[in-house]
Amino acid sequence: MADPELQQRIGAAVRRERLRAGWSAAELARRAGISKGNVSQLESGTGNPTVETLWALSDALGLPFSSLVDP
């Protein structure tokens, strides 16, 4: 993913939904089966997530995949 705007949008969505769930970054990482560092990078807009990572995050948060990538 080379689009910085998309990276920022995904990061903001992940953070918003994580906070809405009342979870720490570590808790979301545990539930999604990814590293805490990966969650932190995504939320800061510097991560380059795979489809599998985004799917794991949306599943852990109980959201449709599209909610993390749609504007």
Side-chain angles (χ1 to χ4, degrees):
M1 176 181 335
D3 184 356
E5 184 180 315
L6 180 58
Q7 286 176 298
Q8 290 294 320
R9 190 168 61 237
I10 289 170
V14 170
R15 181 173 173 79
R16 178 186 66 243
E17 297 302 331
R18 175 180 65 78
L19 293 174
R20 186 175 293 166
W23 297 341
S24 66
E27 180 63 14
L28 175 55
R30 185 188 70 76
R31 290 176 182 246
I34 63 175
S35 73
K36 181 184 169 194
N38 200 339
V39 172
S40 295
Q41 285 182 334
L42 288 173
E43 288 187 358
S44 70
T46 60
N48 192 12
T50 63
V51 170
E52 290 83 9
T53 297
L54 293 176
W55 194 266
L57 288 166
S58 65
D59 189 50
L61 290 162
L63 301 169
F65 177 85
S66 62
S67 68
L68 298 181
V69 296
D70 286 344

Short mmCIF file of all heavy atoms in Angstrom, two decimals:
data_model
loop_
_atom_site.label_atom_id
_atom_site.label_comp_id
_atom_site.label_asym_id
_atom_site.label_seq_id
_atom_site.Cartn_x
_atom_site.Cartn_y
_atom_site.Cartn_z
N MET A 1 0.87 -1.16 0.00
CA MET A 1 0.00 0.00 0.00
C MET A 1 0.92 1.22 0.00
O MET A 1 1.63 1.46 0.95
CB MET A 1 -0.86 -0.05 1.25
CG MET A 1 -1.73 1.14 1.41
SD MET A 1 -2.75 1.13 2.90
CE MET A 1 -2.96 -0.53 3.31
N ALA A 2 0.89 1.98 -1.05
CA ALA A 2 1.78 3.12 -1.17
C ALA A 2 1.06 4.45 -0.97
O ALA A 2 1.68 5.49 -1.00
CB ALA A 2 2.45 3.11 -2.54
N ASP A 3 -0.23 4.41 -0.74
CA ASP A 3 -1.02 5.63 -0.63
C ASP A 3 -1.04 6.13 0.82
O ASP A 3 -1.72 5.55 1.67
CB ASP A 3 -2.44 5.35 -1.11
CG ASP A 3 -3.33 6.57 -1.11
OD1 ASP A 3 -2.89 7.64 -0.66
OD2 ASP A 3 -4.48 6.45 -1.57
N PRO A 4 -0.28 7.19 1.13
CA PRO A 4 -0.22 7.69 2.51
C PRO A 4 -1.59 8.10 3.06
O PRO A 4 -1.86 7.93 4.25
CB PRO A 4 0.72 8.89 2.43
CG PRO A 4 1.46 8.74 1.16
CD PRO A 4 0.59 7.94 0.24
N GLU A 5 -2.45 8.61 2.19
CA GLU A 5 -3.79 9.01 2.64
C GLU A 5 -4.58 7.80 3.11
O GLU A 5 -5.26 7.85 4.14
CB GLU A 5 -4.53 9.72 1.51
CG GLU A 5 -5.90 10.24 1.94
CD GLU A 5 -6.61 10.94 0.79
OE1 GLU A 5 -5.97 11.74 0.08
OE2 GLU A 5 -7.81 10.65 0.61
N LEU A 6 -4.47 6.71 2.37
CA LEU A 6 -5.16 5.48 2.75
C LEU A 6 -4.58 4.92 4.05
O LEU A 6 -5.33 4.48 4.93
CB LEU A 6 -5.07 4.44 1.64
CG LEU A 6 -5.74 3.10 1.90
CD1 LEU A 6 -7.22 3.27 2.20
CD2 LEU A 6 -5.54 2.17 0.71
N GLN A 7 -3.27 4.97 4.19
CA GLN A 7 -2.64 4.51 5.43
C GLN A 7 -3.14 5.31 6.63
O GLN A 7 -3.43 4.74 7.68
CB GLN A 7 -1.12 4.61 5.33
CG GLN A 7 -0.52 3.56 4.43
CD GLN A 7 0.97 3.76 4.27
OE1 GLN A 7 1.43 4.77 3.75
NE2 GLN A 7 1.73 2.78 4.73
N GLN A 8 -3.24 6.62 6.48
CA GLN A 8 -3.74 7.47 7.56
C GLN A 8 -5.20 7.16 7.88
O GLN A 8 -5.59 7.11 9.05
CB GLN A 8 -3.59 8.95 7.18
CG GLN A 8 -2.17 9.45 7.16
CD GLN A 8 -1.53 9.45 8.53
OE1 GLN A 8 -2.16 9.80 9.52
NE2 GLN A 8 -0.27 9.06 8.58
N ARG A 9 -6.00 6.95 6.86
CA ARG A 9 -7.42 6.65 7.05
C ARG A 9 -7.61 5.32 7.77
O ARG A 9 -8.41 5.21 8.70
CB ARG A 9 -8.14 6.64 5.70
CG ARG A 9 -9.64 6.59 5.83
CD ARG A 9 -10.36 6.87 4.54
NE ARG A 9 -10.03 5.90 3.49
CZ ARG A 9 -9.52 6.21 2.30
NH1 ARG A 9 -9.29 7.47 1.98
NH2 ARG A 9 -9.27 5.29 1.41
N ILE A 10 -6.84 4.31 7.37
CA ILE A 10 -6.92 3.01 8.03
C ILE A 10 -6.47 3.13 9.48
O ILE A 10 -7.11 2.60 10.39
CB ILE A 10 -6.09 1.96 7.27
CG1 ILE A 10 -6.77 1.62 5.95
CG2 ILE A 10 -5.89 0.70 8.12
CD1 ILE A 10 -5.93 0.77 5.02
N GLY A 11 -5.37 3.84 9.69
CA GLY A 11 -4.85 4.02 11.05
C GLY A 11 -5.85 4.70 11.96
O GLY A 11 -6.06 4.29 13.10
N ALA A 12 -6.50 5.73 11.45
CA ALA A 12 -7.50 6.45 12.24
C ALA A 12 -8.70 5.56 12.55
O ALA A 12 -9.24 5.57 13.66
CB ALA A 12 -7.95 7.71 11.51
N ALA A 13 -9.10 4.74 11.58
CA ALA A 13 -10.24 3.84 11.79
C ALA A 13 -9.91 2.77 12.82
O ALA A 13 -10.73 2.48 13.70
CB ALA A 13 -10.64 3.20 10.46
N VAL A 14 -8.72 2.21 12.74
CA VAL A 14 -8.32 1.18 13.71
C VAL A 14 -8.29 1.78 15.11
O VAL A 14 -8.84 1.20 16.06
CB VAL A 14 -6.95 0.57 13.34
CG1 VAL A 14 -6.41 -0.30 14.47
CG2 VAL A 14 -7.05 -0.23 12.05
N ARG A 15 -7.69 2.94 15.25
CA ARG A 15 -7.61 3.58 16.57
C ARG A 15 -9.01 3.92 17.10
O ARG A 15 -9.33 3.66 18.27
CB ARG A 15 -6.75 4.83 16.50
CG ARG A 15 -6.62 5.54 17.84
CD ARG A 15 -5.63 6.69 17.75
NE ARG A 15 -5.61 7.46 18.97
CZ ARG A 15 -4.97 7.11 20.07
NH1 ARG A 15 -4.28 5.99 20.11
NH2 ARG A 15 -5.00 7.89 21.14
N ARG A 16 -9.84 4.51 16.26
CA ARG A 16 -11.19 4.88 16.67
C ARG A 16 -11.97 3.67 17.17
O ARG A 16 -12.59 3.70 18.24
CB ARG A 16 -11.92 5.53 15.50
CG ARG A 16 -13.36 5.94 15.80
CD ARG A 16 -14.09 6.46 14.57
NE ARG A 16 -14.25 5.39 13.58
CZ ARG A 16 -13.71 5.39 12.36
NH1 ARG A 16 -13.01 6.41 11.93
NH2 ARG A 16 -13.91 4.38 11.53
N GLU A 17 -11.92 2.60 16.41
CA GLU A 17 -12.68 1.40 16.77
C GLU A 17 -12.09 0.70 17.98
O GLU A 17 -12.82 0.14 18.80
CB GLU A 17 -12.79 0.46 15.57
CG GLU A 17 -13.55 1.05 14.41
CD GLU A 17 -14.98 1.49 14.75
OE1 GLU A 17 -15.60 0.90 15.66
OE2 GLU A 17 -15.47 2.43 14.10
N ARG A 18 -10.77 0.72 18.11
CA ARG A 18 -10.13 0.13 19.29
C ARG A 18 -10.55 0.88 20.55
O ARG A 18 -10.91 0.27 21.56
CB ARG A 18 -8.60 0.17 19.14
CG ARG A 18 -7.88 -0.31 20.39
CD ARG A 18 -6.38 -0.27 20.23
NE ARG A 18 -5.82 1.05 20.06
CZ ARG A 18 -5.62 1.91 21.07
NH1 ARG A 18 -5.98 1.62 22.30
NH2 ARG A 18 -5.07 3.09 20.83
N LEU A 19 -10.53 2.20 20.48
CA LEU A 19 -10.93 3.01 21.63
C LEU A 19 -12.41 2.84 21.93
O LEU A 19 -12.81 2.79 23.10
CB LEU A 19 -10.59 4.48 21.39
CG LEU A 19 -9.09 4.79 21.33
CD1 LEU A 19 -8.87 6.25 20.95
CD2 LEU A 19 -8.42 4.45 22.65
N ARG A 20 -13.22 2.73 20.89
CA ARG A 20 -14.65 2.50 21.08
C ARG A 20 -14.90 1.19 21.83
O ARG A 20 -15.81 1.10 22.64
CB ARG A 20 -15.35 2.48 19.73
CG ARG A 20 -16.86 2.39 19.85
CD ARG A 20 -17.53 2.50 18.51
NE ARG A 20 -17.33 3.85 17.99
CZ ARG A 20 -17.55 4.23 16.74
NH1 ARG A 20 -17.97 3.35 15.86
NH2 ARG A 20 -17.35 5.46 16.35
N ALA A 21 -14.06 0.19 21.53
CA ALA A 21 -14.18 -1.11 22.20
C ALA A 21 -13.62 -1.06 23.63
O ALA A 21 -13.85 -1.97 24.41
CB ALA A 21 -13.46 -2.19 21.40
N GLY A 22 -12.85 0.01 23.94
CA GLY A 22 -12.27 0.14 25.26
C GLY A 22 -11.03 -0.72 25.47
O GLY A 22 -10.71 -1.08 26.60
N TRP A 23 -10.35 -1.02 24.39
CA TRP A 23 -9.18 -1.90 24.45
C TRP A 23 -7.88 -1.11 24.31
O TRP A 23 -7.82 -0.09 23.63
CB TRP A 23 -9.21 -2.92 23.32
CG TRP A 23 -10.36 -3.86 23.35
CD1 TRP A 23 -11.16 -4.16 24.41
CD2 TRP A 23 -10.84 -4.64 22.26
NE1 TRP A 23 -12.11 -5.08 24.04
CE2 TRP A 23 -11.94 -5.39 22.72
CE3 TRP A 23 -10.46 -4.77 20.94
CZ2 TRP A 23 -12.64 -6.26 21.92
CZ3 TRP A 23 -11.16 -5.63 20.13
CH2 TRP A 23 -12.23 -6.37 20.62
N SER A 24 -6.84 -1.65 24.90
CA SER A 24 -5.49 -1.13 24.68
C SER A 24 -4.99 -1.68 23.34
O SER A 24 -5.58 -2.62 22.77
CB SER A 24 -4.55 -1.61 25.79
OG SER A 24 -4.40 -3.02 25.73
N ALA A 25 -3.90 -1.13 22.86
CA ALA A 25 -3.30 -1.65 21.62
C ALA A 25 -2.87 -3.09 21.82
O ALA A 25 -3.02 -3.92 20.92
CB ALA A 25 -2.13 -0.78 21.20
N ALA A 26 -2.37 -3.40 23.01
CA ALA A 26 -1.95 -4.78 23.29
C ALA A 26 -3.13 -5.74 23.26
O ALA A 26 -3.01 -6.87 22.76
CB ALA A 26 -1.25 -4.84 24.65
N GLU A 27 -4.27 -5.32 23.77
CA GLU A 27 -5.46 -6.18 23.76
C GLU A 27 -5.95 -6.43 22.34
O GLU A 27 -6.30 -7.55 21.98
CB GLU A 27 -6.57 -5.58 24.62
CG GLU A 27 -7.84 -6.39 24.67
CD GLU A 27 -7.69 -7.77 25.30
OE1 GLU A 27 -6.67 -8.03 25.97
OE2 GLU A 27 -8.60 -8.59 25.14
N LEU A 28 -5.98 -5.39 21.53
CA LEU A 28 -6.39 -5.57 20.14
C LEU A 28 -5.42 -6.50 19.43
O LEU A 28 -5.83 -7.40 18.70
CB LEU A 28 -6.47 -4.23 19.40
CG LEU A 28 -6.78 -4.31 17.90
CD1 LEU A 28 -8.07 -5.09 17.63
CD2 LEU A 28 -6.85 -2.92 17.30
N ALA A 29 -4.14 -6.30 19.65
CA ALA A 29 -3.12 -7.15 19.02
C ALA A 29 -3.33 -8.61 19.43
O ALA A 29 -3.29 -9.51 18.58
CB ALA A 29 -1.73 -6.68 19.42
N ARG A 30 -3.58 -8.85 20.70
CA ARG A 30 -3.80 -10.22 21.19
C ARG A 30 -5.01 -10.84 20.52
O ARG A 30 -4.96 -11.96 20.02
CB ARG A 30 -3.98 -10.22 22.71
CG ARG A 30 -4.10 -11.61 23.32
CD ARG A 30 -4.47 -11.55 24.79
NE ARG A 30 -5.84 -11.10 25.01
CZ ARG A 30 -6.93 -11.84 24.82
NH1 ARG A 30 -6.83 -13.06 24.35
NH2 ARG A 30 -8.13 -11.34 25.06
N ARG A 31 -6.10 -10.10 20.47
CA ARG A 31 -7.34 -10.62 19.89
C ARG A 31 -7.24 -10.84 18.39
O ARG A 31 -7.89 -11.73 17.84
CB ARG A 31 -8.50 -9.68 20.18
CG ARG A 31 -8.91 -9.68 21.65
CD ARG A 31 -10.00 -8.65 21.90
NE ARG A 31 -10.37 -8.60 23.28
CZ ARG A 31 -11.58 -8.94 23.75
NH1 ARG A 31 -12.51 -9.36 22.92
NH2 ARG A 31 -11.85 -8.85 25.03
N ALA A 32 -6.42 -10.03 17.71
CA ALA A 32 -6.26 -10.15 16.26
C ALA A 32 -5.13 -11.10 15.87
O ALA A 32 -5.00 -11.46 14.71
CB ALA A 32 -6.01 -8.77 15.64
N GLY A 33 -4.30 -11.47 16.85
CA GLY A 33 -3.19 -12.37 16.55
C GLY A 33 -2.06 -11.70 15.81
O GLY A 33 -1.38 -12.32 15.00
N ILE A 34 -1.86 -10.41 16.08
CA ILE A 34 -0.75 -9.68 15.47
C ILE A 34 0.05 -9.01 16.59
O ILE A 34 -0.36 -9.03 17.74
CB ILE A 34 -1.24 -8.62 14.45
CG1 ILE A 34 -2.10 -7.55 15.12
CG2 ILE A 34 -2.00 -9.31 13.31
CD1 ILE A 34 -2.51 -6.43 14.19
N SER A 35 1.18 -8.41 16.25
CA SER A 35 2.00 -7.79 17.28
C SER A 35 1.47 -6.41 17.68
O SER A 35 0.82 -5.73 16.88
CB SER A 35 3.45 -7.65 16.79
OG SER A 35 3.55 -6.62 15.82
N LYS A 36 1.79 -6.03 18.91
CA LYS A 36 1.41 -4.70 19.39
C LYS A 36 2.10 -3.63 18.54
O LYS A 36 1.51 -2.59 18.24
CB LYS A 36 1.78 -4.54 20.86
CG LYS A 36 1.41 -3.19 21.42
CD LYS A 36 1.88 -3.05 22.84
CE LYS A 36 1.74 -1.61 23.28
NZ LYS A 36 2.48 -1.34 24.50
N GLY A 37 3.33 -3.89 18.15
CA GLY A 37 4.06 -2.94 17.30
C GLY A 37 3.36 -2.72 15.97
O GLY A 37 3.33 -1.60 15.45
N ASN A 38 2.78 -3.79 15.44
CA ASN A 38 2.05 -3.69 14.18
C ASN A 38 0.82 -2.79 14.36
O ASN A 38 0.54 -1.93 13.52
CB ASN A 38 1.63 -5.09 13.72
CG ASN A 38 1.30 -5.18 12.26
OD1 ASN A 38 0.99 -4.18 11.63
ND2 ASN A 38 1.32 -6.38 11.73
N VAL A 39 0.11 -2.96 15.46
CA VAL A 39 -1.05 -2.11 15.74
C VAL A 39 -0.61 -0.66 15.87
O VAL A 39 -1.22 0.25 15.29
CB VAL A 39 -1.80 -2.58 17.01
CG1 VAL A 39 -2.88 -1.58 17.40
CG2 VAL A 39 -2.40 -3.95 16.81
N SER A 40 0.46 -0.42 16.60
CA SER A 40 0.96 0.94 16.80
C SER A 40 1.36 1.59 15.48
O SER A 40 1.05 2.76 15.24
CB SER A 40 2.15 0.93 17.76
OG SER A 40 1.74 0.50 19.03
N GLN A 41 2.04 0.83 14.62
CA GLN A 41 2.44 1.36 13.32
C GLN A 41 1.22 1.70 12.47
O GLN A 41 1.18 2.75 11.83
CB GLN A 41 3.32 0.37 12.57
CG GLN A 41 4.73 0.30 13.08
CD GLN A 41 5.57 -0.66 12.26
OE1 GLN A 41 5.05 -1.59 11.65
NE2 GLN A 41 6.87 -0.42 12.25
N LEU A 42 0.24 0.82 12.49
CA LEU A 42 -0.97 1.08 11.71
C LEU A 42 -1.66 2.33 12.19
O LEU A 42 -2.07 3.18 11.40
CB LEU A 42 -1.93 -0.11 11.80
CG LEU A 42 -1.52 -1.36 11.05
CD1 LEU A 42 -2.48 -2.49 11.37
CD2 LEU A 42 -1.50 -1.09 9.57
N GLU A 43 -1.82 2.45 13.51
CA GLU A 43 -2.53 3.60 14.06
C GLU A 43 -1.81 4.91 13.80
O GLU A 43 -2.45 5.95 13.68
CB GLU A 43 -2.77 3.41 15.56
CG GLU A 43 -3.82 2.35 15.85
CD GLU A 43 -4.19 2.27 17.30
OE1 GLU A 43 -3.61 3.01 18.14
OE2 GLU A 43 -5.09 1.47 17.63
N SER A 44 -0.50 4.86 13.70
CA SER A 44 0.25 6.08 13.42
C SER A 44 0.30 6.41 11.94
O SER A 44 0.82 7.46 11.54
CB SER A 44 1.68 5.97 13.98
OG SER A 44 2.43 5.04 13.23
N GLY A 45 -0.24 5.50 11.12
CA GLY A 45 -0.26 5.75 9.68
C GLY A 45 1.03 5.39 8.98
O GLY A 45 1.22 5.73 7.82
N THR A 46 1.94 4.70 9.68
CA THR A 46 3.22 4.34 9.07
C THR A 46 3.28 2.87 8.70
O THR A 46 4.22 2.46 8.04
CB THR A 46 4.40 4.67 10.01
OG1 THR A 46 4.25 3.93 11.23
CG2 THR A 46 4.46 6.16 10.31
N GLY A 47 2.29 2.10 9.12
CA GLY A 47 2.29 0.68 8.82
C GLY A 47 1.83 0.41 7.39
O GLY A 47 1.19 1.25 6.76
N ASN A 48 2.18 -0.74 6.91
CA ASN A 48 1.80 -1.17 5.57
C ASN A 48 1.08 -2.51 5.72
O ASN A 48 1.67 -3.56 5.50
CB ASN A 48 3.04 -1.30 4.69
CG ASN A 48 2.67 -1.44 3.24
OD1 ASN A 48 1.54 -1.24 2.84
ND2 ASN A 48 3.65 -1.81 2.43
N PRO A 49 -0.20 -2.48 6.10
CA PRO A 49 -0.89 -3.72 6.44
C PRO A 49 -1.21 -4.59 5.24
O PRO A 49 -1.48 -4.09 4.15
CB PRO A 49 -2.18 -3.22 7.09
CG PRO A 49 -2.44 -1.91 6.42
CD PRO A 49 -1.08 -1.31 6.20
N THR A 50 -1.17 -5.87 5.48
CA THR A 50 -1.62 -6.82 4.47
C THR A 50 -3.14 -6.95 4.58
O THR A 50 -3.74 -6.54 5.58
CB THR A 50 -0.99 -8.21 4.69
OG1 THR A 50 -1.44 -8.72 5.95
CG2 THR A 50 0.53 -8.15 4.67
N VAL A 51 -3.73 -7.54 3.58
CA VAL A 51 -5.16 -7.80 3.63
C VAL A 51 -5.47 -8.72 4.81
O VAL A 51 -6.46 -8.54 5.51
CB VAL A 51 -5.65 -8.42 2.29
CG1 VAL A 51 -7.08 -8.92 2.40
CG2 VAL A 51 -5.52 -7.41 1.17
N GLU A 52 -4.59 -9.69 5.05
CA GLU A 52 -4.80 -10.62 6.16
C GLU A 52 -4.79 -9.89 7.50
O GLU A 52 -5.60 -10.20 8.38
CB GLU A 52 -3.71 -11.71 6.16
CG GLU A 52 -3.83 -12.69 5.02
CD GLU A 52 -3.21 -12.18 3.71
OE1 GLU A 52 -2.53 -11.12 3.71
OE2 GLU A 52 -3.44 -12.82 2.69
N THR A 53 -3.91 -8.92 7.66
CA THR A 53 -3.86 -8.14 8.90
C THR A 53 -5.13 -7.33 9.08
O THR A 53 -5.71 -7.31 10.16
CB THR A 53 -2.62 -7.21 8.91
OG1 THR A 53 -1.44 -8.02 8.88
CG2 THR A 53 -2.60 -6.32 10.14
N LEU A 54 -5.56 -6.67 8.02
CA LEU A 54 -6.79 -5.88 8.11
C LEU A 54 -7.99 -6.76 8.39
O LEU A 54 -8.88 -6.39 9.16
CB LEU A 54 -7.00 -5.08 6.83
CG LEU A 54 -5.98 -3.98 6.58
CD1 LEU A 54 -6.23 -3.32 5.23
CD2 LEU A 54 -6.01 -2.94 7.69
N TRP A 55 -8.00 -7.94 7.80
CA TRP A 55 -9.10 -8.88 8.03
C TRP A 55 -9.11 -9.32 9.50
O TRP A 55 -10.16 -9.36 10.14
CB TRP A 55 -8.97 -10.08 7.11
CG TRP A 55 -10.22 -10.89 7.08
CD1 TRP A 55 -10.50 -11.98 7.85
CD2 TRP A 55 -11.37 -10.65 6.29
NE1 TRP A 55 -11.76 -12.44 7.56
CE2 TRP A 55 -12.32 -11.63 6.60
CE3 TRP A 55 -11.70 -9.68 5.33
CZ2 TRP A 55 -13.57 -11.70 6.00
CZ3 TRP A 55 -12.94 -9.76 4.73
CH2 TRP A 55 -13.85 -10.75 5.07
N ALA A 56 -7.92 -9.63 10.05
CA ALA A 56 -7.82 -10.05 11.45
C ALA A 56 -8.28 -8.94 12.38
O ALA A 56 -8.97 -9.19 13.38
CB ALA A 56 -6.37 -10.45 11.77
N LEU A 57 -7.91 -7.70 12.07
CA LEU A 57 -8.33 -6.56 12.89
C LEU A 57 -9.84 -6.36 12.83
O LEU A 57 -10.48 -6.17 13.87
CB LEU A 57 -7.61 -5.29 12.45
CG LEU A 57 -6.13 -5.22 12.80
CD1 LEU A 57 -5.46 -4.09 12.02
CD2 LEU A 57 -5.93 -5.06 14.29
N SER A 58 -10.39 -6.39 11.64
CA SER A 58 -11.84 -6.18 11.52
C SER A 58 -12.60 -7.31 12.21
O SER A 58 -13.62 -7.07 12.87
CB SER A 58 -12.26 -6.04 10.06
OG SER A 58 -12.05 -7.22 9.34
N ASP A 59 -12.11 -8.54 12.11
CA ASP A 59 -12.74 -9.67 12.77
C ASP A 59 -12.67 -9.51 14.29
O ASP A 59 -13.67 -9.71 14.98
CB ASP A 59 -12.07 -10.97 12.33
CG ASP A 59 -12.82 -12.19 12.81
OD1 ASP A 59 -14.04 -12.26 12.62
OD2 ASP A 59 -12.16 -13.09 13.38
N ALA A 60 -11.50 -9.14 14.80
CA ALA A 60 -11.34 -8.96 16.25
C ALA A 60 -12.26 -7.86 16.77
O ALA A 60 -12.80 -7.97 17.88
CB ALA A 60 -9.88 -8.63 16.57
N LEU A 61 -12.43 -6.82 15.99
CA LEU A 61 -13.27 -5.69 16.39
C LEU A 61 -14.76 -5.93 16.11
O LEU A 61 -15.60 -5.13 16.51
CB LEU A 61 -12.81 -4.41 15.68
CG LEU A 61 -11.46 -3.87 16.14
CD1 LEU A 61 -10.90 -2.89 15.12
CD2 LEU A 61 -11.59 -3.22 17.51
N GLY A 62 -15.07 -7.01 15.41
CA GLY A 62 -16.45 -7.33 15.08
C GLY A 62 -17.05 -6.37 14.07
O GLY A 62 -18.23 -6.04 14.13
N LEU A 63 -16.22 -5.96 13.12
CA LEU A 63 -16.64 -4.98 12.11
C LEU A 63 -16.50 -5.56 10.71
O LEU A 63 -15.69 -6.45 10.48
CB LEU A 63 -15.72 -3.75 12.18
CG LEU A 63 -15.68 -3.00 13.49
CD1 LEU A 63 -14.53 -2.01 13.46
CD2 LEU A 63 -16.99 -2.30 13.72
N PRO A 64 -17.26 -5.04 9.76
CA PRO A 64 -17.01 -5.44 8.37
C PRO A 64 -15.65 -4.92 7.93
O PRO A 64 -15.22 -3.84 8.34
CB PRO A 64 -18.13 -4.75 7.58
CG PRO A 64 -18.94 -3.97 8.54
CD PRO A 64 -18.36 -4.11 9.90
N PHE A 65 -14.98 -5.69 7.11
CA PHE A 65 -13.66 -5.31 6.59
C PHE A 65 -13.67 -3.91 6.00
O PHE A 65 -12.76 -3.11 6.22
CB PHE A 65 -13.24 -6.34 5.52
CG PHE A 65 -11.95 -6.05 4.85
CD1 PHE A 65 -10.75 -6.45 5.41
CD2 PHE A 65 -11.92 -5.38 3.63
CE1 PHE A 65 -9.55 -6.18 4.78
CE2 PHE A 65 -10.72 -5.11 3.00
CZ PHE A 65 -9.53 -5.51 3.57
N SER A 66 -14.74 -3.59 5.27
CA SER A 66 -14.83 -2.31 4.58
C SER A 66 -14.80 -1.12 5.54
O SER A 66 -14.40 -0.04 5.14
CB SER A 66 -16.09 -2.26 3.72
OG SER A 66 -17.24 -2.37 4.52
N SER A 67 -15.19 -1.32 6.78
CA SER A 67 -15.21 -0.19 7.72
C SER A 67 -13.81 0.34 8.02
O SER A 67 -13.67 1.47 8.47
CB SER A 67 -15.91 -0.58 9.02
OG SER A 67 -15.13 -1.53 9.73
N LEU A 68 -12.79 -0.45 7.75
CA LEU A 68 -11.42 0.00 7.99
C LEU A 68 -10.80 0.67 6.77
O LEU A 68 -9.81 1.39 6.90
CB LEU A 68 -10.53 -1.17 8.42
CG LEU A 68 -10.89 -1.85 9.72
CD1 LEU A 68 -9.91 -2.97 10.02
CD2 LEU A 68 -10.96 -0.86 10.88
N VAL A 69 -11.36 0.45 5.60
CA VAL A 69 -10.74 0.99 4.39
C VAL A 69 -11.58 2.00 3.63
O VAL A 69 -11.06 2.78 2.85
CB VAL A 69 -10.31 -0.15 3.42
CG1 VAL A 69 -9.24 -1.01 4.05
CG2 VAL A 69 -11.49 -1.01 3.02
N ASP A 70 -12.88 2.00 3.85
CA ASP A 70 -13.74 2.97 3.15
C ASP A 70 -13.60 4.36 3.74
O ASP A 70 -13.46 4.50 4.95
CB ASP A 70 -15.22 2.55 3.22
CG ASP A 70 -15.53 1.38 2.30
OD1 ASP A 70 -14.72 1.09 1.40
OD2 ASP A 70 -16.59 0.77 2.51
N PRO A 71 -13.67 5.37 2.88
CA PRO A 71 -13.60 6.75 3.41
C PRO A 71 -14.83 7.11 4.23
O PRO A 71 -15.85 6.53 4.15
CB PRO A 71 -13.52 7.62 2.16
CG PRO A 71 -13.68 6.74 1.00
CD PRO A 71 -13.76 5.34 1.46
#
